[in-house]
Amino acid sequence: MASDLRLPTDKIVRPDKDRFLNEENPFEAMMSRFDRAAELLDLEPGLYKVLRHSEKEITISVPVLMDNGEVEVFTGYRVLYNTSRGPAKGGIRFDLNVTLDEVKALAAWMTWKCAVVNLPFGGSKGGVICDPLKMSVSELERLTRRYTAGIINTLGPDSDVPAPDVNTNERVMAWVMDTYSMHMRHTVTAVVTGKPVEMGGSLGRREATGRGVMFVTREALRHLGIAMNGATVAVQGFGNVGSIAADLLSKQGCKIVAISDRTGGYYNKGGIDIPKAIEYVRQHRSLEGFKGGDNITNDDLLVLPVDVLVPAALENVITSKNAGKVQAKIIAEGANGPTTAGADNILDEKGIFVIPDILANAGGVTVSYFEWVQDRGGYFWSEETVNNRLEEIMTRSFTDVLGLSKQHKVNMRTAAYMLSISRVATVHRLRGIYA
Ligand code: NAD
């Protein structure tokens, strides 16, 4: 590290280092991993302070006229964590459990995720506290448009580019794009990714996160010398990420023995028919009542004796309380933050190979980047080109992180953080501090 590239600063003070860690607070969980990697990188104190803070946090009230004629006021957030490497990139989540701390953690994760796969993006995230399953389509549209109008000053293809996340989808992205375009007085396709293909979306985007999970799982199995054909897999969460990861892994020969969603889980030793389960969810909106396996709980699913566990629902499902019981050889983190910092050491001691979220689920943002590139160039790629380029980036990134983990004798998570933090830090050093 060239000393003239280091930022001048005073003595390092690592806040909260020995304080009791609130395992369930996603921001603290993310920061504890950041701290460990920063220490190993010997990050200079000034830069350490900069990277521990988000650049911008917006909280807005979102009034919505409901179908019954009454007005409800929802709370929405948008956090831009770091934009040193390029426009902020991050999804929008509609969920009752959204908090500012969660959005901040997810925005920071987006920063590290984009850097670990070396995309020219920073990180952001947004969320609205609501229960979309209880809202009509027109209520959701009004909520989305008013939320978009409320954060419009941060949005833009060169500044902040949203994408789908939990409980948002292509249709929601179309409303965001339309609302933004109406304000700008011209159509701006590149302001969001994960849009319908008919209006500037990329082929392969919908499947990209699950496909990325499949690629890194394949690499991990290869690394551990486990044959993909017949490898047993349990997948928690059967939405966009979980269902597609399950489908593609089964097409590669893996046996998906368990799946679940918020309504419960299903176990079948002989393997679950994944296309059938996907069709069931398309018809019934959830797995509730699915007959393809025996009922199990979401907690049971996490501790099944399988080769691969794919947590692809929400955060904090593998904690210090249940990590000791996990029997999988590989955990491929499809969800963001499914493992708490307290669980990391326990999994390490058990020798479980964890492909961390910022690497494992980076396929989505990678194809979002392809979509943004295609929109700006006005020239669209074939699905084969998208998938091949995704494969190249995911396998190269896996190899980069694995190499670093061997070199520094650290686990894959710490190695992924070290790689991404060092990339963000290098740009900060080159740019310096504008005063
Ligand atoms: P989704 O809304 O399509 O699906 C979420 C799934 O999780 C649903 O099947 C839901 O029933 C299930 N679920 C919710 N609560 C649960 C609970 N308590 N127990 C078990 N299952 C539960 O969301 P998604 O897009 O698949 O996202 C899932 C995770 O992947 C999130 O952590 C998200 O941040 C992350 N992620 C998504 C993308 C993407 O491109 N969609 C990219 C990167 C990361």
Side-chain angles (χ1 to χ4, degrees):
M1 205 181 288
S3 60
D4 59 343
L5 280 182
R6 293 175 71 92
L7 291 175
T9 186
D10 49 358
K11 202 171 157 298
I12 192 161
V13 183
R14 297 200 194 285
D16 308 342
K17 188 161 178 275
D18 299 317
R19 189 166 63 80
F20 174 69
L21 178 80
N22 176 359
E23 208 182 18
E24 307 265 314
N25 181 318
F27 190 71
E28 291 195 21
M30 188 278 302
M31 273 305 157
S32 71
R33 275 71 169 257
F34 170 84
D35 278 356
R36 175 154 167 67
E39 204 156 343
L40 288 165
L41 286 167
D42 193 22
L43 201 66
E44 55 270 47
L47 197 40
Y48 172 80
K49 281 188 221 163
V50 170
L51 296 184
R52 256 187 152 268
H53 287 84
S54 58
E55 282 176 17
K56 194 185 281 185
E57 295 172 16
I58 302 166
T59 302
I60 57 168
S61 294
V62 188
V64 177
L65 182 64
M66 306 303 278
D67 291 346
N68 64 5
E70 287 178 16
V71 172
E72 283 295 337
V73 180
F74 299 89
T75 300
Y77 305 107
R78 187 77 186 164
V79 173
L80 272 60
Y81 196 80
N82 188 289
T83 59
S84 59
R85 288 168 51 87
K89 190 84 196 75
I92 296 171
R93 175 176 288 204
F94 288 170
D95 198 82
L96 274 179
N97 298 318
V98 165
T99 63
L100 181 57
D101 263 347
E102 180 189 61
V103 176
K104 259 166 73 176
L106 292 164
W109 266 315
M110 285 305 295
T111 307
W112 315 133
K113 192 183 299 184
C114 291
V116 89
V117 285
N118 217 359
L119 307 179
F121 282 143
S124 58
K125 204 81 180 188
V128 179
I129 306 171
C130 65
D131 187 352
L133 300 181
K134 293 210 175 116
M135 294 171 73
S136 71
V137 172
S138 48
E139 286 170 343
L140 277 176
E141 178 173 352
R142 289 195 288 276
L143 174 81
T144 304
R145 289 186 183 278
R146 184 62 191 242
Y147 169 71
T148 305
I151 59 166
I152 203 135
N153 286 339
T154 92
L155 299 182
D158 291 314
S159 49
D160 183 21
V161 185
D165 193 69
V166 174
N167 294 326
T168 59
N169 55 20
E170 292 177 0
R171 182 160 57 180
V172 174
M173 293 307 111
W175 294 328
V176 174
M177 182 278 213
D178 182 69
T179 307
Y180 182 82
S181 297
M182 289 295 110
H183 280 255
M184 295 302 127
R185 302 274 177 231
H186 63 279
T187 296
V188 188
T189 52
V191 68
V192 288
T193 60
K195 307 177 283 295
V197 172
E198 296 82 353
M199 51 179 283
S202 177
L203 293 169
R205 172 60 185 89
R206 205 175 60 77
E207 300 83 7
T209 307
R211 190 176 294 278
V213 170
M214 181 271 283
F215 287 138
V216 293
T217 303
R218 184 189 68 191
E219 295 307 302
L221 286 165
R222 199 174 278 165
H223 169 64
L224 296 183
I226 303 170
M228 196 150 193
N229 204 14
T232 52
V233 182
V235 181
Q236 182 181 63
F238 208 67
N240 175 283
V241 181
S243 68
I244 289 165
D247 190 41
L248 295 176
L249 283 165
S250 71
K251 287 190 171 118
Q252 294 289 321
C254 294
K255 187 157 66 165
I256 316 300
V257 293
I259 56 173
S260 72
D261 69 4
R262 70 172 79 227
T263 66
Y266 299 86
Y267 175 72
N268 185 336
K269 210 174 165 193
I272 289 171
D273 184 337
I274 297 300
K276 211 167 166 181
I278 289 174
E279 180 53 28
Y280 187 90
V281 171
R282 203 185 60 75
Q283 283 179 22
H284 300 87
R285 290 184 83 180
S286 79
L287 282 169
E288 196 167 18
F290 178 62
K291 297 278 178 272
D294 300 331
N295 290 83
I296 52 167
T297 65
N298 266 292
D299 291 343
D300 294 340
L301 180 143
L302 296 170
V303 298
L304 286 172
V306 285
D307 293 312
V308 183
L309 172 64
V310 182
L314 296 177
E315 53 262 24
N316 297 337
V317 292
I318 304 171
T319 67
S320 55
K321 295 192 187 79
N322 64 358
K325 294 188 216 141
V326 173
Q327 300 186 66
K329 299 188 183 85
I330 295 168
I331 298 176
E333 295 185 337
N336 287 312
T339 309
T340 66
D344 276 350
N345 289 342
I346 302 171
L347 298 176
D348 257 0
E349 277 162 22
K350 289 173 67 96
I352 297 174
F353 188 87
V354 178
I355 315 169
D357 44 12
I358 59 171
L359 172 63
N361 67 38
V365 74
T366 301
V367 176
S368 275
Y369 164 61
F370 296 163
E371 181 174 331
W372 178 81
V373 169
Q374 292 170 80
D375 286 340
R376 288 163 73 97
Y379 180 74
F380 291 84
W381 311 346
S382 70
E383 190 163 358
E384 195 187 356
T385 301
V386 170
N387 290 346
N388 288 343
R389 289 182 177 169
L390 173 64
E391 179 169 13
E392 193 188 313
I393 289 182
M394 293 306 293
T395 48
R396 187 187 62 217
S397 304
F398 180 92
T399 308
D400 287 349
V401 174
L402 183 63
L404 210 59
S405 98
K406 285 180 183 161
Q407 187 190 336
H408 290 272
K409 298 190 172 40
V410 293
N411 63 28
M412 289 287 280
R413 190 184 315 280
T414 301
Y417 272 80
M418 287 174 77
L419 181 61
S420 52
I421 292 167
S422 66
R423 283 179 174 157
V424 176
T426 297
V427 173
H428 272 274
R429 291 187 196 107
L430 288 166
R431 290 180 61 158
I433 294 177
Y434 176 73

